[in-house]
Amino acid sequence: MNRESNYQSAFQELEEQVKRCDRCGLCSSRTQTVFGEGKLNSKLMLVGEAPGEDEDKTGRPFVGRAGQLLDKILIAAKIDRQAAYVANVVKCRPPNNRTPTQDEILKCGGFLEAQIALIKPKILVALGNTPLKFFLKVSGGITKMRGQWQMWRGVPLFAMFHPSYLLREDSRAVGSPKELTWHDVQELKLRLDELN
Ligand code: URA
Ligand code: URA
């Protein structure tokens, strides 16, 4: 087998492990797991919280309302989602979209770490508090940490508001979460362009 097919089969094996996973209670209420999708070897990896209802139904990340807003935000900044890899910290839908527990995050987090190890992104983006908690072991830090660069195991990590939060925050006034996100995504685009 050549390197390319080794790489793809490592990815497929990981996805199979996720499909069979019963490490936490979410396996009993899920319709299916949501592994993640996008370009392998991508420079950019976006990390959300956990699947919602639409993701649980389709098996794909960020396809519901939050995903549609994420698409709009990326398009506005001319960032190509198809060229990125999109995943979540937790691969199964929490009932009623509650925030994943620390136990669920710990039990599922190894899969995300394995995905990152395979993709080797040059930039990681944490969307909201759950990925921020996973990467940096901080809780509730998104309001302070958004728009800032951190490091996670040698990879630049950028924090942005979660699109679901933006759906609940209508204002576009200066300093509002939507307006701040517009600046953040442009900053992200600048850094991405510097890689090319
Ligand atoms: N919210 C997330 O955090 N991830 C998804 O995939 C969808 C909604
Ligand atoms: N809580 C989150 O998890 N994410 C946000 O972006 C804002 C509040």
Side-chain angles (χ1 to χ4, degrees), residues 49 99 127-131 142-143 160-163 165-166 168:
E49 178 172 297
T99 305
L127 296 169
N129 276 325
T130 295
I142 193 69
T143 305
M160 291 179 38
F161 284 122
H162 191 287
Y165 176 68
L166 299 176
R168 299 191 296 267

Side-chain angles (χ1 to χ4, degrees), residues 11-28:
F11 231 87
Q12 276 162 14
E13 172 53 31
L14 185 62
E15 183 161 6
E16 287 306 316
Q17 280 178 33
V18 168
K19 277 189 184 146
R20 291 192 300 265
C21 182
D22 58 3
R23 289 180 195 172
C24 83
L26 296 181
C27 64
S28 59

Side-chain angles (χ1 to χ4, degrees), residues 128-130 132-133 137-146 161:
N129 276 325
T130 295
L132 207 55
K133 188 172 182 179
K137 315 291 174 220
V138 293
S139 60
I142 193 69
T143 305
K144 274 193 198 143
M145 293 173 90
R146 59 133 280 281
F161 284 122

Side-chain angles (χ1 to χ4, degrees), residues 81-101:
R81 175 170 167 171
Q82 309 307 318
Y85 193 89
V86 182
N88 288 301
V89 175
V90 167
K91 311 301 194 211
C92 297
R93 183 190 181 200
N96 304 313
N97 302 337
R98 65 161 169 74
T99 305
T101 64

Side-chain angles (χ1 to χ4, degrees), residues 34 48-52 55 60-63 66 88 162 164:
V34 179
E49 178 172 297
E55 292 78 20
R60 299 179 53 212
F62 281 106
V63 294
N88 288 301
H162 191 287
S164 299

